Amino acid sequence: QAVRYQHFHCLYSDLDPTLMSQVPCLVQNYSYSPPPLPTHCVRRLDHHRDEVWFASISHDGRLLATSSKDESIVIWERNPSGPGFNVTEVLLAYSESCSALAWSPDDQQLLSASNCTICLWTLPGSEARLVLSKHTDPVTSVTWLPDSIHFASAGFDRCICLWKTDGTLLHKWELSCRIQDLASTKDGSKLLVVDSDKGVKVFDVQSRNAMISLPESDAVTSICVSRLRDELLVNVAQHVSALQEGPAIRLWDLSSRRGLQR
């Protein structure tokens, strides 16, 4: 019980590769230091012909997808013999720039969105396996569920769509505000939604019902869900005034529905 308590209160215990293999020591307190943060650029990747807007790295760290104003998506593969990446694919499916990218949890598929269209790619291969055009306004976000079979999309048409990778539309939620960001919890049971209203909306995937929102005092611009814990980072764009500190990032515990840190 004492060991579990110390592991729980160490911010970086999930990163410790020896956590489960070593016999716990009861003589001294447990601690684990995080790996150092990157401090300098080790490689510059030049292939796009215009501004790079989005970058998404695969879960195993082997592949990198980048999208640009030049309307292309470039797939890079990490060089196993040294730093840097090599270009493996250039995907051209849109007449407009890509607005969202997301790797499937098994890293076998890539979702991309541009304007009202979503493309599903299976790599290697330069042709989209699936093209979906159910949204009526630009798609702003796409996210996968952990099974790599289901995914969700959301956009300025105030709709959230739940899909299967065979192209079946399973459900559509209609909201009253434009949607800016979307994420799935680590177990895939809930969708977390950022719209132009304050707070983070929560939807139960199984029942399709809306749950109690996570309240915020100002507009939320983006969210990031932990892959290890039931925790969520929320970017809050506060209106700067004499009484406020400006934009903030808040850490939420999804199980207890309370803010942990700001």
Side-chain angles (χ1 to χ4, degrees), residues 8-218:
F8 180 77
H9 285 83
C10 176
L11 293 176
Y12 309 104
S13 60
D14 293 320
L15 302 176
D16 186 355
T18 65
L19 184 62
M20 304 303 296
S21 58
Q22 287 188 350
V23 177
C25 176
L26 301 178
V27 180
Q28 59 185 10
N29 292 334
Y30 171 83
S31 65
Y32 183 76
S33 299
L37 293 172
T39 58
H40 62 281
C41 177
V42 297
R43 185 72 60 178
R44 181 186 177 96
L45 306 180
D46 296 305
H47 192 86
H48 288 289
R49 303 184 306 277
D50 212 323
E51 299 171 2
V52 177
W53 285 0
F54 294 95
S56 178
I57 197 162
S58 61
H59 298 80
D60 61 5
R62 186 176 63 88
L63 298 172
L64 172 68
T66 58
S67 65
S68 166
K69 189 179 177 181
D70 65 9
E71 302 171 4
S72 71
I73 301 170
V74 177
I75 307 300
W76 311 76
E77 184 173 12
R78 186 183 63 195
N79 187 349
S81 61
F85 288 77
N86 301 318
V87 175
T88 61
E89 302 275 0
V90 178
L91 310 179
L92 300 170
Y94 302 114
S95 59
E96 297 185 22
S97 303
C98 177
S99 58
L101 292 170
W103 289 99
S104 61
D106 62 5
D107 294 328
Q108 300 300 308
Q109 302 169 96
L110 177 69
L111 284 173
S112 64
S114 177
N115 203 1
C116 305
T117 304
I118 302 164
C119 285
L120 176 64
W121 311 83
T122 301
L123 303 173
S126 58
E127 296 292 330
R129 180 164 68 85
L130 198 64
V131 180
L132 305 170
S133 303
K134 292 292 186 181
H135 286 279
T136 56
D137 276 318
V139 178
T140 55
S141 185
V142 289
T143 188
W144 286 92
L145 273 62
D147 60 5
S148 296
I149 299 174
H150 299 85
F151 62 91
S153 61
F156 284 162
D157 59 0
R158 304 180 179 91
C159 292
I160 307 167
C161 295
L162 180 65
W163 306 87
K164 286 188 68 175
T165 50
D166 62 2
T168 303
L169 177 60
L170 300 175
H171 189 72
K172 178 187 282 189
W173 291 271
E174 295 185 2
L175 279 64
S176 59
C177 301
R178 287 183 167 190
I179 301 167
Q180 300 169 194
D181 203 2
L182 176 72
S184 166
T185 54
K186 68 182 182 68
D187 61 359
S189 63
K190 300 177 185 66
L191 289 175
L192 307 171
V193 181
V194 174
D195 59 15
S196 53
D197 199 1
K198 297 177 182 178
V200 178
K201 290 181 170 59
V202 184
F203 292 87
D204 186 277
V205 174
Q206 187 67 33
S207 69
R208 316 294 201 234
N209 293 329
M211 305 177 69
I212 300 175
S213 300
L214 303 178
E216 285 290 355
S217 58
D218 281 288

